[in-house]
Amino acid sequence: MKQQIIISGLGGQGALTITRVLAEAAAALGLEVLTSETHGMAQRGGTVISMIKVGPFRGPLIPAGRADVGLFLHAKNLGVHRFYLRGDAGVFVNAGVPGNYQGVDAGSLARQLGAPVAANLILLGYAAGKGGLFCEADLLEQVIREKTPARFREINLKALRAGVDAAAA
Amino acid sequence: MEKENLKQIEQRILMGNEAIARGLIESGVTLAASYPGTPASEILQAVAAFAKEEAIPLHAEWSVNEKVAFETALANSYTGRRAAVSMKQVGLNVASDPFLRSAYLGVKGGLVVISADDPGPHSSQTEQDSRFFAMFAKVPVFDPSSPREAKEMVDRAFELSEKYEIPVMIRPTTRVCHARQNIPLLTPERLAQGAHFEKNPGRWCATPQYLKELHRGLNQKIEEIAGEEDFYPILTPGDDSFPGACIIASGVALAHTWDLLEEMRLLRRLDLYQVTLPYPLHRAFINNIKGRYQRVLVLEETYPVIELQLAVDQVQGRGTKMVPGAGELTPEVIRPVIEKFLDLPPAPAVISLGGEATRPTLCAGCGHRAAFYAIRETFPEGIFPSDIGCYTLGMNLGAVDTCHCMGAGISQAAGFYRAYAATGEKVPPIVATIGDSTFFHAGVPALINAVFHGARIMVVILDNATTAMTGHQPTPETGPTARGETAHPVLLADLVRACGAGLLKEADPYDLPGFMDLLQEAGEYCRGDNGGVAVVIAKHPCILEREARKHQPVLEMCVTEDCTGCRHCLDDFECPALYLDEATDQVVIDGARCIGCGVCVHVCPAGAIEAKAKDQS
Ligand code: SF4
Ligand code: SF4
C-alpha cells in the first residue's frame, strides 16, 4: 500500500489536525507513515500545506505531480498547490460552488453544527466517504475518539460524520 | 555508564522534534535547556512532557536566550551529568561564544547540542548550515534524514560525546523537525548520575597558556573520530549500470534522493552513500571515494560541508554549480540534478498554476495590530525598526521598517538617531517595537546602551505575555517554568526602570485613542530639552491564549450604511475579519473570524463601524 496525500489550507484552518488523524490511521493499519507540516510565521493565516506519505517511503515531501489525493480547505489554494497532484488524483475541496473537483460546502456545514473551525474534519469525512483515502471513515472515527482532547472530541466526531453523510447524499 | 537493557515498549507517531526529545529521555538526559525558535521549539516542550509521563525528575528550562541555555547545560555536563541544549540555527549564532570554546575545553557528562536548520528558509532570517558552524568549531555533527534516525542519533551522540569528552551536535532540518513518523519507543535509561565537579582550573578556566595544548588535544580527538568505524558512510550498492559514478548524500536530501531514485527505477543501480556524520568526514571514506569513482555527486543542505572535505576533482556539487547554491533541496530541485548527473533525458516539468499564496497576517483581534496602527497614525513620518516574532507582520501595516535579528530593533533605532542627529537635520520620530520575550532575550543590553548614550528614541515593548510565534512558551515575567512550576517573575517595568529609561508608560493598545495620546507624550519627551529614551509597554495578552480571551469583552460588530468604501480599515489596519463586498463596495465583517475586540470602531474615519454589547441570551 502506498498513498501520497496533500492537505492545503490557510493557517488556523486545522490542516495539522487532519494530518495527525491520517498519520494515526495509517499507523493503526500497521503501515509506515511520514508527514510534513508547515509551522512558524505562515501559521498566522498564510498558505500552509501538509503532506502525508503512507507506505515504504524515506522522505517526507511529495514531488510535484505525484500526489494521489488532495484535500483543499480553501478553494483559492487550488491555484497554489494543485500542481502537486497527479492528473488522475482525487481532489476534494471545501467549496460551495461546483468545479473540476469533488466539492463540499464544509464551511457552511460547520457553521450549521455551531463549530466553524470544524470544516477540516467535514472535508476529511467527505473524502473518506467518497472512498478517496487509504482507510475507511470508521477508522478515522476510532482515531478521533482515542486521540482527540476531550473538549473537542464530540464536535470533531460530529463533523467527521457530517462529511461522510454529505458524501453519501 | 552502565546501562540496563533497552526494551521496546510501543510505537508512536512522533514529530521529529518529539523524537529527538524522546531520544534525550531514553538516553538519560538530566538537564535540557532551550530558547524557542522555529523549527526547534517543540523539542524542549516534549522533553518536559516525556519526563512527566515517565516520572523522571530532570531539569528542563526555557532559558532567557540560547547563550544562557548553552552555558547552563555546559556546567551540568562539567559535573558528569548528561545535558542537552536545543535551538534554531540562528540561536547558535547567539550561543556561538560558549559553543566555540566548549570544543577546546571539552565536557564530562555527554553534551548534545541540537541546532535545527531551516533550508529554504521557511521561518528564519538566514538559511545557514549549522554543520558548517560545527566544522568551524571542530565539533562532530550528526545529520539525521528522518525523525526515527534523529532519535537513534541522540544516544550515539551522547556516547561519542562521553568517549571523547567533546560536545556533539545533532543538526536536524525543518523537514526532519516537522515531519511525523511512526517510531518505536524504548524504556528510558536510568543512569546513576550524581553531580561531581572536579576542579581543574587549567582546563575549566583555561588561560591562553593552556589553550594551545587544548587545541592540540581537540585536533587529536577529531583525528580519531574521523577514523571511527561506526561513522563510515552507509553504502547501498549499485549494479554497475553507471560505472564509476556514485551519489553521496546526507540529511533529508538523502531521503528525497532515495525516494526519487526509487521512483525513477534507479535505486540500487548506482552506489549511494548516506553520510550520517558529515564532520569529521571519515578519513578512509575520503580515500576510497578518490580511488574508486570518476564521478561523484554530493547532495547536502545547505552549504558544501561534505564537498569541501572530499576536496577531489571528481566531485559534482555546489562547487561545479551542478547543485543550486541557495534554497532548499526539494525533490523538484534534486530530480533534474540527478538526471543531468546521469545523462538521462529530463522528465517533463510540472507547471504550477501560478496561484498566489496568501500572506500571513496578525490574528483578528491581536493587540499588536492596535499598537502598530497607533504608532503609524501618530508618527506618519516615523522610522520603525522592529524585531523578531509575530509582530514582524506589522510590516503589512507599514509599521515595521527593519527586522534583523533578536534585539536589533532597539540598537538600530539608536543608530538611526545618531545618523540623523549627526547631520543636523530634523530627526524623524524613531519608534522601535520589540516583543516581551525578545526584549528579555537581547533587548536589555540594547536598551541600556541607548539610555547611556542619550539616544532620543521611543521603544514600544509589545507585551502579549507569551512567546506567541513559536507556540506560546512562557516568558520570565509570566512563567511558569517549562516543567509547569511556579517561577520567580522578573517584571518588564522593573527592568526598564533599572535600565534607566527616562519615561515609562504602560497601557492597553485596545484603547486606541488613549494609546495614541501616550505615544504623543512619549514623542514630546524624546524631543524635549532633557529628552532620551521613552519606553511604552503595550500590554494585551495574545488572543490565542484561551485564558486571555475569557477576560476580554466580546462585542457585536456591524458596519453601517455610512461605510464609504475608502479602504482605510482594510489597507492601514488590515484585520483579516474585515473584507470588501465587491457588490456594494462596502466593508463587511466576517463573523467566523471576528473576535469582537471592538478596536476597529476607532479606525473608521466615517464612524461606520459600530459595536454593541453582545446579547448574553
Ligand atoms: S498569535 Fe497572538 S501575538 Fe501572534 S498574531 Fe496571533 S494574537 Fe497576535
Ligand atoms: S472587532 Fe474589528 S478589529 Fe476586532 S476582530 Fe472584529 S473586525 Fe477585527
Side-chain angles (χ1 to χ4, degrees):
Chain A
M1 173 74 208
K2 271 190 171 186
Q3 189 173 56
Q4 310 196 75
I5 306 169
I6 65 160
I7 299 167
S8 169
L10 300 178
Q13 282 194 307
L16 291 188
T17 305
I18 48 179
T19 307
R20 273 168 228 180
V21 171
L22 284 169
E24 293 288 353
L29 291 171
L31 300 168
E32 292 284 313
V33 62
L34 259 170
T35 75
S36 157
E37 307 171 346
T38 311
H39 287 248
M41 188 73 97
Q43 280 181 299
R44 302 282 171 262
T47 304
V48 298
I49 185 167
S50 289
M51 296 178 169
I52 300 154
K53 295 170 83 172
V54 180
F57 293 100
R58 288 190 69 172
L61 294 185
I62 301 173
R66 292 291 180 280
D68 306 297
V69 182
L71 304 184
F72 290 83
L73 291 162
H74 203 298
K76 189 179 163 190
N77 286 17
L78 279 165
V80 187
H81 289 144
R82 195 170 193 155
F83 75 96
Y84 280 111
L85 302 180
R86 290 193 338 226
D88 59 350
V91 193
F92 303 95
V93 184
N94 169 16
V97 287
N100 54 347
Y101 48 73
Q102 310 198 55
V104 57
D105 193 351
S108 302
L109 288 173
R111 274 193 293 282
Q112 281 165 29
L113 290 178
V117 290
N120 56 345
L121 287 150
I122 295 178
L123 183 65
L124 181 67
Y126 179 77
K130 288 284 181 195
L133 301 175
F134 64 90
C135 63
E136 303 287 332
D138 288 353
L139 178 60
L140 298 175
E141 196 170 321
Q142 186 191 322
V143 168
I144 293 170
R145 187 166 295 121
E146 284 167 14
K147 304 277 176 182
T148 314
R151 65 200 163 91
F152 299 128
R153 194 173 299 139
E154 272 320 304
I155 189 65
N156 283 1
L157 286 170
K158 254 198 220 160
L160 184 84
R161 256 177 256 132
V164 176
D165 291 347
Chain B
M1 292 181 190
E2 278 306 306
K3 292 185 188 173
E4 314 166 19
N5 278 341
L6 297 180
K7 281 199 311 275
Q8 182 178 329
I9 43 182
E10 60 169 303
Q11 283 244 357
R12 236 187 253 183
I13 304 264
L14 295 183
M15 185 199 279
N17 284 339
E18 295 167 338
I20 292 169
R22 182 68 199 189
L24 292 171
I25 293 284
E26 288 176 6
S27 304
V29 75
T30 65
L31 181 148
S34 181
Y35 182 83
T38 313
S41 310
E42 297 82 4
I43 299 173
L44 198 265
Q45 240 146 353
V47 167
F50 281 124
K52 193 164 166 207
E53 183 184 326
E54 302 281 355
I56 291 173
L58 56 73
H59 178 76
E61 71 169 49
W62 288 119
S63 309
V64 75
N65 65 32
E66 295 86 353
K67 173 171 147 63
V68 171
F70 192 100
E71 290 151 355
T72 306
L74 183 63
N76 189 74
S77 143
Y78 282 6
T79 70
R81 291 153 54 84
R82 288 188 166 183
V85 53
S86 57
M87 61 199 84
K88 70 180 296 177
Q89 87 286 43
V90 291
L92 186 62
N93 299 345
V94 177
S96 59
D97 214 354
F99 176 60
L100 288 170
R101 182 159 156 98
S102 70
Y104 280 57
L105 273 53
V107 303
K108 278 291 178 187
L111 178 66
V112 172
V113 181
I114 299 142
S115 180
D117 284 353
D118 188 22
H122 297 272
S123 208
S124 302
Q125 61 265 42
T126 69
E127 55 170 353
Q128 66 193 65
D129 187 336
S130 297
R131 303 172 314 151
F132 216 91
F133 217 133
M135 182 157 82
F136 170 50
K138 302 190 180 180
V139 164
V141 54
F142 285 90
D143 193 359
S145 75
S146 67
R148 197 179 298 153
E149 233 174 64
K151 175 169 169 287
E152 288 159 10
M153 282 176 176
V154 173
D155 199 50
R156 298 176 74 192
F158 271 121
E159 299 208 334
L160 184 64
S161 174
E162 278 160 6
K163 179 169 174 190
Y164 290 94
E165 297 199 352
I166 190 171
V168 173
M169 183 189 288
I170 299 177
R171 188 291 300 248
T173 54
T174 302
R175 299 302 183 182
V176 171
C177 294
H178 291 156
R180 280 172 202 275
Q181 193 174 27
N182 53 313
I183 292 173
L185 305 192
L186 307 175
T187 23
E189 282 184 54
R190 315 250 169 189
L191 305 166
Q193 301 181 69
H196 304 290
F197 175 54
E198 257 177 63
K199 296 194 183 194
N200 181 355
R203 181 171 176 190
W204 306 130
C205 312
T207 45
Q209 55 167 324
Y210 295 101
L211 281 166
K212 191 166 154 196
E213 198 42 48
L214 285 167
H215 191 182
R216 217 178 269 135
L218 173 59
N219 290 341
Q220 181 64 30
K221 291 177 188 177
I222 289 296
E223 191 73 24
E224 281 170 35
I225 294 168
E228 284 263 2
E229 217 29 63
D230 268 6
F231 304 123
Y232 195 91
I234 303 161
L235 170 66
T236 305
D239 63 2
D240 235 4
S241 299
F242 299 90
C246 78
I247 298 179
I248 301 172
S250 84
V252 87
L254 175 276
H256 295 328
T257 302
W258 182 280
D259 284 357
L260 282 169
L261 291 176
E262 174 116 75
E263 188 191 305
M264 298 161 81
R265 300 179 194 288
L266 293 173
L267 195 63
R268 301 197 169 83
R269 296 199 37 213
L270 79 163
D271 288 0
L272 172 67
Y273 290 94
Q274 178 185 9
V275 177
T276 53
L277 195 78
Y279 178 83
L281 193 58
H282 200 281
R283 220 179 9 258
F285 174 69
I286 298 176
N287 290 330
N288 276 344
I289 294 296
K290 277 186 194 162
R292 273 177 62 182
Y293 302 96
Q294 284 78 57
R295 301 179 61 241
V296 179
L297 173 64
V298 179
L299 293 165
E300 59 184 326
E301 284 180 322
T302 41
Y303 291 2
V305 171
I306 298 172
E307 205 177 310
L308 283 177
Q309 292 174 89
L310 277 172
V312 290
D313 294 341
Q314 304 90 303
V315 169
Q316 301 280 337
R318 293 214 161 77
T320 61
K321 302 219 167 14
M322 174 78 106
V323 177
E328 185 179 7
L329 294 184
T330 59
E332 291 80 21
V333 173
I334 296 177
R335 186 175 180 130
V337 172
I338 296 176
E339 286 165 348
K340 199 163 157 212
F341 176 68
L342 297 177
D343 260 330
L344 302 169
V350 178
I351 311 289
S352 152
L353 301 176
E356 227 176 277
T358 308
R359 70 176 182 184
T361 128
L362 295 166
C363 301
C366 175
H368 297 340
R369 173 174 291 102
F372 280 128
Y373 177 80
I375 292 169
R376 218 230 19 256
E377 291 290 305
T378 311
F379 305 110
E381 311 291 316
I383 297 180
F384 309 125
S386 189
D387 233 290
I388 299 192
C390 284
Y391 53 93
T392 310
L393 292 168
M395 265 164 66
N396 298 358
L397 283 90
V400 167
D401 293 328
T402 71
C403 164
H404 200 81
C405 62
M406 295 288 282
I410 298 179
S411 336
Q412 287 186 321
F416 279 122
Y417 170 73
R418 286 293 151 224
Y420 283 91
T423 56
E425 288 169 53
K426 182 166 176 283
V427 181
I430 300 168
V431 190
T433 45
I434 183 167
D436 45 347
S437 186
T438 311
F439 181 70
F440 282 110
H441 177 287
V444 175
L447 180 59
I448 293 172
N449 193 62
V451 168
F452 177 68
H453 291 102
R456 291 166 181 257
I457 59 169
M458 286 167 263
V459 175
V460 177
I461 302 180
L462 300 164
D463 178 7
N464 60 358
T466 187
T467 317
M469 178 94 247
T470 49
H472 300 91
Q473 293 79 12
T475 73
E477 179 170 86
T478 57
T481 69
R483 295 218 60 184
E485 286 145 6
T486 322
H488 301 280
V490 177
L491 304 184
L492 278 172
D494 289 352
L495 254 181
V496 170
R497 261 183 231 111
C499 291
L503 181 117
L504 168 64
K505 297 282 173 185
E506 295 182 70
D508 185 337
Y510 262 34
D511 169 17
L512 262 185
F515 194 74
M516 286 163 83
D517 287 347
L518 262 191
L519 288 172
Q520 283 293 1
E521 194 186 330
E524 277 156 29
Y525 169 77
C526 279
R527 286 190 303 273
D529 289 346
N530 288 312
V533 180
V535 176
V536 177
I537 303 181
K539 278 181 124 54
H540 198 95
C542 169
I543 53 98
L544 286 195
E545 293 277 24
R546 240 179 312 143
E547 265 311 297
R549 283 282 284 282
K550 287 190 193 146
H551 300 293
Q552 76 184 52
V554 179
L555 302 167
E556 190 111 50
M557 306 301 298
C558 75
V559 182
T560 67
E561 272 310 306
D562 295 341
C563 171
T564 61
C566 72
R567 298 191 59 93
H568 178 62
C569 63
L570 303 177
D571 297 339
D572 300 329
F573 186 64
E574 208 231 3
C575 176
L578 295 168
Y579 66 95
L580 195 72
D581 182 341
E582 313 248 318
T584 62
D585 206 29
Q586 285 183 320
V587 165
V588 195
I589 292 182
D590 176 349
R593 299 187 83 172
C594 173
I595 69 152
C597 71
V599 175
C600 53
V601 168
H602 306 291
V603 170
C604 178
I609 306 182
E610 290 184 353
K612 59 174 197 270
K614 210 166 205 164
D615 203 346
Q616 292 302 324
S617 58

